[in-house]
Every structure is written in structure tokens, then in C-alpha cells.
Amino acid sequence: MYRLIVLSCLLALAQSSARFMQKPMLDGRIVGGEAITIDENPIQISLQRSGSHSCGGSLISERYVLTAAHCAVGVKASSLTIRIGSSFYASGGRKVQVTKTNCHPQYNAATIDYDFCVLELEDWDPTGLTYGFAKLPEAGQDVADGTLLRVTGWGNTQNSYESRSQLRSTIVPKTNQDECSRAYKSYGGVTPRMICAGLKEGGKDACQGDSGGPLMEDDILVGIVSWGYGCAVANYPGVHSRVASVRDWIKSVSGI
Ligand code: ARG
């Protein structure tokens, strides 16, 4: 399954131009985090492709999930389901069919710019489920450097003692945009559709399988796990899609 995820990240990048090094989407885990239960981040869902966990995502209403374009672009909606309301990606909560994928028209697999996708869901029965909807930032709303942000998911933990079957969480400070762009200079830097977070010394980050999942400032969904060099590597912050940069597009496709 990891191989598949790695492969899909690579495939998404296969057409990239030779001007810059390819943006790395390999390797990973919620690294340096702790297990949490779904009530601690009830907007989190597991996105499953042909029944296997492939990415994270966030509920923004009963009908819509926000995830990364690289998790859904070119994939038939009929092969995508989500699991809502469970601390475990493989059991509990409720499995819900995706009926439509709406990925950002400017998504660029080579540069990973505009890595956003809105998924439309079939009707589902909320009875007894623990779930919630993420608040969205206002258009263009920034996050102050150093703000502590929370990232969660069922991604690889790179640590055999830390099971990925249960949802995990870690806290990372928001990185200065210019600093992040300098760190990733050889990959073409970061665009205004990206927001970075990580400790200078590394050790805490999202990783493979966390993509599409939430990066939150309190209960506001400020980012979507997108890419990075390795996971939790010193001086290479995690790069996330910046939700505030496409706030109007989200509204236009979902009404939210
Ligand atoms: N592309 C990866 C995925 O599909 C996410 C990588 C995130 N990396 C990081 N260092 N934050 O799951």
C-alpha cells in the first residue's frame, strides 16, 4: 500500500519539467506525534482508493470534503470512498461514497501548485457518529510566523513502535514564507498557494499517507498536507496547500 502511495506521488510528478529538481513527495509519517481519538479532530476523514487508505481529508460540510488534488486527480469518483467518524482508518465510523471530484483547474502536477480538491459525497446517515466541519479562513487571511499549527493523519510514522492504524497528531510552528522558499530553492521554491510549517531541527511533520489531511490553527483549516523533502527533516519544513489562497474557488464549487 505504501508503495502505491509513493508510486502515485511519483506518477503525479512524472511529467515535471527539467528546470528544477522534482518536488519530493516521498517518504513519511505523522512524525514525532501522538495517537489521538476522532473527537479530538472530528473533521478528519480517511480517503480510500479501492478500499485502501490513501490520503486524509477534512469535512467542510455534510456534502463536501477538502483534500489535496494529488490524492484525487485522474481518479474516478466511483473508486473513492471516505471513512467518517473513526479514530481508525480501517474500521468504525461510516464509509461514504464519493460522487464527484472537483479538483482545482490550475492544479499542476509538476510544481504541485494549487493542490486542492473538493470531493462531493453521497447522502449519509450521521446517527451516532462523531464528526464536525472545519472552519475555513477568510480569503487571503495569513498565519503569523511561529503560530503553532496542528497536523493529523494516518500516515506512516517511520517508527515501528508507533502504529498508524490510529489517528495521530503533531504540533508544528508556521515557517516564514521566504525562509521556506529559500529552503526549497532547488525545487523552484514555494508559491503563494503554499504554507509551510516545521521545527528548524526537524522531528515533527506529516508524512506519506497524511496528504490531503488538515493543518489547523485551532479549529480553522489553514492548510492541506501536500509535499516536502522527506519527513521531519531539519531545515525542510512540511509544505501544505494554503486554503486562504483559494477561498473564493472553494465557495464557487461548494457554496461554502
Ligand atoms: N505526498 C505525501 C502524501 O501523498 C505527503 C508528504 C508530506 N510530506 C511532508 N514532509 N510534510 O501522503
Side-chain angles (χ1 to χ4, degrees):
M1 177 163 49
Y2 293 130
R3 265 171 216 279
L4 261 177
I5 297 167
V6 169
L7 209 84
S8 62
C9 281
L10 278 177
L11 280 178
L13 293 174
Q15 319 96 306
S16 88
S17 75
R19 258 189 81 209
F20 298 108
M21 288 168 75
Q22 289 191 349
K23 281 182 167 129
M25 298 173 81
L26 296 174
D27 199 73
R29 50 201 143 176
I30 288 279
V31 184
E34 52 174 27
I36 60 164
T37 53
I38 194 68
D39 50 289
E40 294 174 80
N41 198 13
I43 63 139
Q44 171 93 49
I45 59 93
S46 157
L47 177 62
Q48 321 216 327
R49 187 169 170 182
S50 311
S52 304
H53 171 86
S54 62
C55 277
S58 302
L59 280 170
I60 58 171
S61 75
E62 286 93 347
R63 195 160 200 85
Y64 296 102
V65 159
L66 195 55
T67 188
H70 83 261
C71 294
V73 88
V75 182
K76 285 198 310 268
S78 61
S79 65
L80 293 174
T81 54
I82 66 163
R83 188 182 295 279
I84 299 177
S86 180
S87 309
F88 302 92
Y89 71 81
S91 63
R94 193 148 296 138
K95 271 205 155 190
V96 174
Q97 183 65 46
V98 173
T99 53
K100 193 175 178 208
T101 63
N102 260 304
C103 294
H104 199 287
Q106 283 161 277
Y107 169 62
N108 182 325
T111 60
I112 325 179
D113 206 2
Y114 292 94
D115 194 8
F116 302 93
C117 198
V118 171
L119 308 178
E120 211 172 312
L121 307 176
E122 66 172 352
D123 287 334
W124 49 280
D125 176 10
T127 312
L129 285 185
T130 302
Y131 66 93
F133 307 127
K135 287 189 189 156
L136 298 175
E138 281 168 37
Q141 190 181 318
D142 203 1
V143 176
D145 293 349
T147 303
L148 295 181
L149 305 175
R150 181 163 70 143
V151 62
T152 54
W154 288 277
N156 201 342
T157 66
Q158 282 180 341
N159 177 333
S160 53
Y161 298 102
E162 296 174 356
S163 164
R164 59 184 288 273
S165 60
Q166 183 171 346
L167 187 60
R168 301 187 76 86
S169 167
T170 196
I171 307 286
V172 276
K174 193 261 188 190
T175 308
N176 174 270
Q177 193 80 354
D178 294 334
E179 204 176 292
C180 188
S181 221
R182 275 197 296 278
Y184 285 109
K185 202 175 164 188
S186 49
Y187 300 95
V190 295
T191 73
R193 272 72 53 191
M194 299 173 190
I195 179 170
C196 309
L199 296 166
K200 272 209 169 4
E201 66 271 28
K204 295 180 177 206
D205 196 3
C207 209
Q208 210 50 242
D210 290 320
S211 274
L215 174 78
M216 304 185 77
E217 178 179 5
D218 302 318
D219 53 353
I220 303 176
L221 184 66
V222 296
I224 299 171
V225 178
S226 181
W227 62 280
Y229 172 74
C231 298
V233 179
N235 300 310
Y236 286 95
V239 188
H240 308 265
S241 315
R242 187 185 281 266
V243 175
S245 71
V246 295
R247 185 65 192 85
D248 299 339
W249 172 78
I250 295 169
K251 173 120 194 166
S252 71
V253 299
S254 69
I256 296 150

